[in-house]
Amino acid sequence: MLRDQDTSENNRQIDYCSIIEQYPWIVERENNAILSPDSDGFLCGLAYSYLLNWRIVGYYDGKNLILENGLSANQCVFLDMDIFRNILRSVGHHMVLYNKNRIPENWDQYSNCIQLNNIRNFDAQHDFQRKYPFGTIHFLLGILQSQKIIDTLSNSSIWALLFTDGVWNNLFGYTENCLDWLNFLGVINSTHILNPVFCGNHTIYDVMDGINCFLRMRDSYNATGQYVNGTFISGARRRTGDKLRISDTSGDPINLVQDGDTFHIHENEASRITNFIGQLAKHMGWNYVNENWCWAGFRIFQFTKSDFNRREGNLNTSNFNTLLQENPLSWAITSSLNMEFTLEMPDSLQE
């Protein structure tokens, strides 16, 4: 159960304009973007490449980051990830603060990150069940609408928007929290761009049938293997149709082919995922602008991803604050006892 809230908190809604005033880069034209390599990241990339002519120049999966050669990370905006660097711009929605009564000394490293749980001062110790339950794209559509950059969506957008980040599961699995966030984001207002998606006249059967069709489409793009040093290694990968795979479970790069000093995403992997992105664009009523998406000429940054289970200790205030002294690049608190995090080693974005 959610803890009791006062009436003012229940009725409070997000102020999109104040967020834009603090982070004007989120509605600028012709920026560079680094995406999370999944459906939420791809939807964010589609929106910004189509509506604001942003270039998609890199992908980051928590283990590896590939970035167009010649660009630095501070020339880009990270979409759908929380980056703990005040010199880098990012938008994310993971639970990142453990205890708001013991704020780490270097917490201002998030000062250039639009962080949805931080906006509401939610932490894992007191508010874990109240964490943001939707995708980054749902928040960004409200931002874009507030500036009249977009005003409507295709009727078929519902399936992509309910699928991404498992929103359709969260609606029924975490109903009270979802209703709270729909109110906070202003989606319950009839003029909000997402109101027809979440407040329209859809029967439960319609939603089940539509999601089922979307899942079958997603599965038609599942990976049938992976490319290591340009060699295809067969092996079906279930439920990967919506994911670009640039590292294996150990963090070693996959599906990347070296061209002299740079790398390109293997043609088959790039084709598989661009076809899925094309389906997302079709559902949203947008265009996939090919020239705005980079699939070659990358530099690879390899990092170290770990969690508290591997450190043989549970997450608590002391351990959390101690870890932040190591200056992780990004992280997500995944349960009351554990947190996945990425350390900028062996490579550094400042190289």
Side-chain angles (χ1 to χ4, degrees):
M1 292 290 292
L2 301 182
R3 62 192 181 92
D4 292 338
Q5 308 168 59
D6 61 32
T7 303
S8 61
E9 170 62 19
N10 278 324
N11 294 329
R12 188 166 70 93
Q13 290 189 348
I14 195 169
D15 184 345
Y16 290 111
C17 291
S18 69
I19 292 174
I20 294 166
E21 183 178 351
Q22 185 173 357
Y23 307 98
W25 43 263
I26 197 57
V27 291
E28 290 175 354
R29 293 186 59 82
E30 300 179 354
N31 262 323
N32 300 311
I34 298 170
L35 307 180
S36 63
D38 60 17
S39 61
D40 195 12
F42 297 145
L43 283 169
C44 295
L46 277 170
Y48 276 77
S49 62
Y50 175 61
L51 298 169
L52 290 175
N53 203 35
W54 284 30
R55 292 188 66 246
I56 311 307
V57 298
Y59 306 89
Y60 171 55
D61 68 356
K63 292 172 284 189
N64 292 333
L65 185 151
I66 56 175
L67 176 62
E68 185 177 48
N69 194 39
L71 288 176
S72 61
N74 60 12
Q75 294 175 286
C76 308
V77 176
F78 289 76
L79 294 179
D80 191 36
M81 60 202 81
D82 330 81
I83 302 298
F84 192 59
R85 296 289 184 274
N86 55 20
I87 63 171
L88 301 179
R89 297 167 291 176
S90 63
V91 186
H93 62 78
H94 296 98
M95 180 63 78
V96 293
L97 178 60
Y98 183 74
N99 183 355
K100 56 193 167 189
N101 297 323
R102 291 273 303 277
I103 302 292
E105 293 181 357
N106 59 345
W107 197 244
D108 64 348
Q109 288 276 46
Y110 268 136
S111 61
N112 218 10
C113 175
I114 307 175
Q115 218 297 327
L116 283 156
N117 288 304
N118 289 352
I119 286 174
R120 299 190 74 180
N121 196 32
F122 286 173
D123 70 0
Q125 190 171 64
H126 303 92
D127 311 293
F128 191 76
Q129 294 183 39
R130 300 189 66 193
K131 65 179 180 176
Y132 183 77
F134 306 127
T136 301
I137 185 61
H138 302 91
F139 163 69
L140 289 178
L141 284 171
I143 286 281
L144 295 170
Q145 182 192 26
S146 72
Q147 299 302 295
K148 304 188 186 322
I149 296 169
I150 186 174
D151 56 3
T152 60
L153 293 170
S154 166
N155 289 337
S156 62
S157 68
I158 179 175
W159 310 122
L161 292 169
L162 290 184
F163 165 80
T164 195
D165 276 16
V167 168
W168 61 291
N169 282 316
N170 293 341
L171 291 174
F172 294 98
Y174 306 94
T175 303
E176 185 176 8
N177 188 42
C178 287
L179 288 171
D180 175 54
W181 276 95
L182 289 173
N183 176 71
F184 179 74
L185 295 174
V187 175
I188 62 173
N189 302 332
S190 62
T191 55
H192 194 283
I193 192 170
L194 291 178
N195 184 270
V197 172
F198 290 98
C199 305
N201 296 320
H202 319 296
T203 69
I204 293 177
Y205 184 88
D206 288 340
V207 172
M208 292 172 63
D209 187 52
I211 287 294
N212 183 57
C213 290
F214 193 95
L215 291 172
R216 304 289 76 75
M217 180 277 290
R218 184 276 311 272
D219 288 345
S220 71
Y221 296 107
N222 285 347
T224 58
Q226 61 193 37
Y227 297 85
V228 180
N229 297 322
T231 300
F232 181 73
I233 300 174
S234 181
R237 300 292 191 273
R238 297 178 63 242
R239 299 177 181 175
T240 55
D242 59 316
K243 298 174 179 64
L244 170 65
R245 303 174 65 244
I246 59 174
S247 66
D248 61 19
T249 54
S250 64
D252 293 327
I254 59 171
N255 297 321
L256 300 171
V257 181
Q258 189 163 6
D259 297 315
D261 294 332
T262 63
F263 294 79
H264 71 261
I265 297 171
H266 194 283
E267 289 83 356
N268 289 9
E269 180 72 5
S271 175
R272 179 182 72 83
I273 207 63
T274 54
N275 285 334
F276 175 75
I277 292 172
Q279 290 292 328
L280 289 179
K282 181 179 178 181
H283 274 85
M284 299 302 295
W286 300 335
N287 292 330
Y288 168 69
V289 185
N290 182 64
E291 58 267 28
N292 282 350
W293 291 71
C294 181
W295 301 105
F298 294 111
R299 180 182 178 188
I300 301 177
F301 296 85
Q302 291 185 262
F303 305 128
T304 299
K305 186 173 183 179
S306 188
D307 61 20
F308 276 92
N309 287 339
R310 277 174 272 191
R311 288 201 167 193
E312 299 182 353
N314 289 335
L315 177 63
N316 57 42
T317 300
S318 177
N319 288 343
F320 177 80
N321 287 4
T322 298
L323 173 67
L324 261 63
Q325 294 175 15
E326 299 181 45
N327 203 28
L329 179 65
S330 62
W331 68 84
I333 299 176
T334 54
S335 74
S336 60
L337 299 177
N338 199 16
M339 166 177 146
E340 297 179 351
F341 55 87
T342 299
L343 299 175
E344 225 175 327
M345 55 185 293
D347 293 335
S348 169
L349 289 177
Q350 304 307 309
E351 294 177 355

